[in-house]
Amino acid sequence: MELSTLKNNFYNLYRAELMESKKQVAVKTYFSPGRVNLIGEHIDYSGGMVLPCAINLGTYAVVSRRTDQTVKIMSLNFEEMGILSFELDQIENKPEMDWANYPMGVFNEFIKRGHVIDQGFNILFYGDLPNGAGLSSSASIEVLTATIINDYLSFGFTKTELALLCQKSENEFNGMNCGIMDQFSVAHGVKDHAIFLNCDTLEYELIPAALKDYRLMIINTNKKRGLVDSEYNMRRRECEVALEIIQKGFDQRTIQYLCDLTPVEFLDVAPLLNEDTVYKRAYHSVVENFRVHESKKALSNGNLIAFGEWMYSSHESLKNYFQVSCKELDIIVDLSRNMRGVLGARMTGAGFGGCAIALVEKDKCDYYMEKVGRSYNVKTGLKATFYIAEIADGAGVVHESF
């Protein structure tokens, strides 16, 4: 959607409120990206590194202040719900507020911390991220809301502080036990750079990720993700069991996380893991962390061929060792592997559906979408949705007028 169209919608929706103001009202437009994790899946809770990036698909907002204590919000993605509103001194999670509980939770978190928000807002949201596909639409709208509040009220929060605030909001106000990677990536994104991030310490490094003659293709399988929460908890527990066993039998040094081990060290302790499932979870964790470090080197050196091979290797591990893939994701990756002009592909996100990513030669993108889309439909009966994404900057103001 063009920004001019979005702004026209805003003025039409909030015309009465704007005309009531006795002075000229400042109207700002903001953008907050989604994110994909290029590599490093299901290892953040095992002390591993991740390599996400912000993308140019995300959430827009047109904003003005009000003179009362009311916040009026609407999303063009949920037009049937109309304008929703809440009072700044009466914030609580309500099922009927649906998607609006995410921005409302961010307002609540600022207020809980003692920051005075003395006037309300009119906000119109619009997003071009597919919901529920694992591209962090919730983190996008949370960081967007936090950026709006921080900017208008000059609270001076850093990007990391905003990310942590949004994570806490999602954990406590919305009851979603997410990690920090999504909010951190959305806040800290830098164009043409990936983020080499330790989710435990929040130490990070920006890694050049110029894709040259290739494009980052996002493929939504449109397979509804199932079992994510229960299987996530099970995988996490299996990793904990593996770590407990290894800690008792590894005497070279103290091991706090599975990913503290190198692949060579893992070979030494592998015989301790008698149960096949626990062995597989630990193997994936250790080797995936190694893949992230090698991928960092490959991207830094502009070696996209090597990076693509690590992508394929990551997917095979997620499929066979961590067992969080599904038939639909595997088909996308297999089809990609057999096409010229594709350097690598893998599932991204929690798994069991959602999205895959592929590194596709720029001139072959149209052919890729047509060929893979047709074959995928024949094999699954589903229609995949394709997005050509760019690695983008994090949340911020994109336009301002008076």
Side-chain angles (χ1 to χ4, degrees), residues 255-316:
I255 296 296
Q256 186 176 0
Y257 298 105
L258 283 175
C259 293
D260 289 344
L261 292 165
T262 67
V264 172
E265 288 173 332
F266 179 76
L267 292 176
D268 292 334
V269 299
L272 299 171
L273 303 172
N274 295 321
E275 186 184 340
D276 185 57
T277 298
V278 172
Y279 167 82
K280 286 180 176 179
R281 306 307 184 241
Y283 176 87
H284 167 78
S285 301
V286 173
V287 180
E288 181 78 351
N289 191 48
F290 175 77
R291 279 187 283 263
V292 176
H293 284 267
E294 293 301 307
S295 294
K296 172 195 171 186
K297 295 176 188 175
L299 283 177
S300 297
N301 295 329
N303 189 345
L304 297 182
I305 294 175
F307 176 67
E309 288 301 318
W310 290 122
M311 292 174 70
Y312 282 132
S313 175
S314 173
H315 183 82
E316 290 305 307

Side-chain angles (χ1 to χ4, degrees), residues 218-230:
I218 300 172
I219 309 100
N220 187 357
T221 64
N222 287 309
K223 163 73 184 302
K224 187 175 180 180
R225 294 188 298 166
L227 303 174
V228 173
D229 291 338
S230 61

Side-chain angles (χ1 to χ4, degrees), residues 156-176:
F157 278 67
T158 66
K159 292 178 180 181
T160 297
E161 289 169 337
L162 290 178
L164 288 167
L165 182 149
C166 291
Q167 181 200 17
K168 189 172 179 64
S169 170
E170 184 159 348
N171 290 168
E172 297 184 358
F173 192 83
N174 288 288
M176 299 295 291

Side-chain angles (χ1 to χ4, degrees), residues 44 95 154 158 173 235 307 329 349 392:
D44 55 325
S154 302
T158 66
F173 192 83
R235 295 300 184 280
F307 176 67
L329 287 165

